């Protein structure tokens, strides 16, 4: 089991250079944007800039902090990503423009290459105990991972048991 604190994550530019992201995990390890099977990251959105496109990728995004934003997909369909911990799935090849609902936001992202990767995202709600979670990110609250304390912003890898206290929410990646 491994725990990575948020302040240990390295911020790097988005694929399109218009924002920053922090990679939590990628398969295979060290894979590039063109070769990953799946990728988990946290992005900061502080301007109304378009998202990077990822052809052949299924994306799921979850608001973590801030007022959120409205996503305009392919100039037609709108989705308001304004409720924390409410996942939204969309195709990576979609053209996505963003209108901020307020100030800067932070979101959690899962990207899975079609036909290559197998990963799914769920939101866990405390209080509760959870087993078999490959990756978990504490979005709100706290708990323990194999007896070690975890709190908001922590990423947990390969915990045998994740225990969440009341009012805690975690994003789980199942592989």
């Amino acid at each position: 089991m491994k725990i990575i604190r948020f302040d240990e994550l390295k911020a790097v530019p988005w694929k399109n250079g218009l924002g920053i992201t922090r990679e939590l995990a990628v398969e295979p390890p060290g894979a590039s944007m063109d070769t990953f099977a799946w990728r988990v990251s946290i992005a900061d959105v502080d301007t109304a800039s378009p998202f990077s496109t990822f052809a052949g990728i299924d994306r799921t995004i979850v608001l973590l902090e801030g007022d959120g934003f409205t996503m305009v997909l392919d100039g037609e369909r709108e989705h308001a990503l304004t409720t924390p911990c409410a996942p939204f799935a969309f195709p990576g090849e979609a053209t996505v423009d963003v209108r901020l609902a307020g100030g800067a936001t932070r979101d959690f992202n899962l990207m899975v290459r079609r036909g290559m990767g197998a990963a799914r995202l769920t939101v866990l709600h405390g209080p509760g105990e959870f087993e078999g979670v490959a990756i978990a990110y504490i979005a709100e609250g706290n708990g323990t991972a194999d007896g070690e304390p975890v709190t908001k912003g922590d990423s947990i890898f390969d915990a045998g048991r994740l225990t969440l206290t009341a009012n805690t929410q975690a994003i789980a990646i199942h592989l």
Side-chain angles (χ1 to χ4, degrees):
M1 194 265 310
K2 179 167 103 174
I3 300 170
I4 298 177
R5 312 293 180 199
F6 184 81
D7 60 359
E8 296 173 28
L9 299 172
K10 180 181 174 187
V12 297
W14 286 354
K15 179 180 164 188
N16 67 11
L18 298 175
I20 62 166
T21 188
R22 292 165 179 86
E23 187 174 88
L24 297 178
V26 64
E27 183 63 36
S32 72
M33 292 292 184
D34 296 323
T35 62
F36 67 79
W38 57 261
R39 179 178 187 266
V40 179
S41 64
I42 296 171
D44 291 339
V45 180
D46 59 4
T47 63
S49 50
F51 281 10
S52 302
T53 57
F54 289 90
I57 304 293
D58 290 323
R59 297 181 69 172
T60 304
I61 188 169
V62 181
L63 178 65
L64 294 173
E65 297 177 16
D67 294 331
F69 45 82
T70 297
M71 301 167 62
V72 181
L73 291 90
D74 296 324
E76 302 172 355
R77 189 173 119 202
E78 290 191 4
H79 176 77
L81 190 78
T82 54
T83 303
C85 293
F88 175 68
F90 64 100
E93 51 274 306
T95 301
V96 179
D97 291 307
V98 171
R99 292 190 314 261
L100 293 175
T105 69
R106 180 165 288 153
D107 57 72
F108 186 96
N109 298 277
L110 168 64
M111 293 189 262
V112 181
R113 189 170 308 279
R114 289 184 207 114
M116 239 184 107
R120 66 182 176 84
L121 181 153
T122 61
V123 178
L124 307 176
H125 301 274
E129 292 186 2
F130 305 90
E131 295 181 6
V133 178
I135 302 169
Y137 177 81
I138 306 297
E140 189 63 46
N142 56 66
T144 60
D146 291 345
E148 296 291 323
V150 292
T151 192
K152 180 179 178 175
D154 289 348
S155 301
I156 301 105
F157 299 86
D158 301 316
R161 180 176 303 252
L162 178 63
T163 303
L164 304 178
T165 61
N167 302 315
T168 295
Q169 294 184 87
I171 299 168
I173 303 298
H174 307 274
L175 304 172

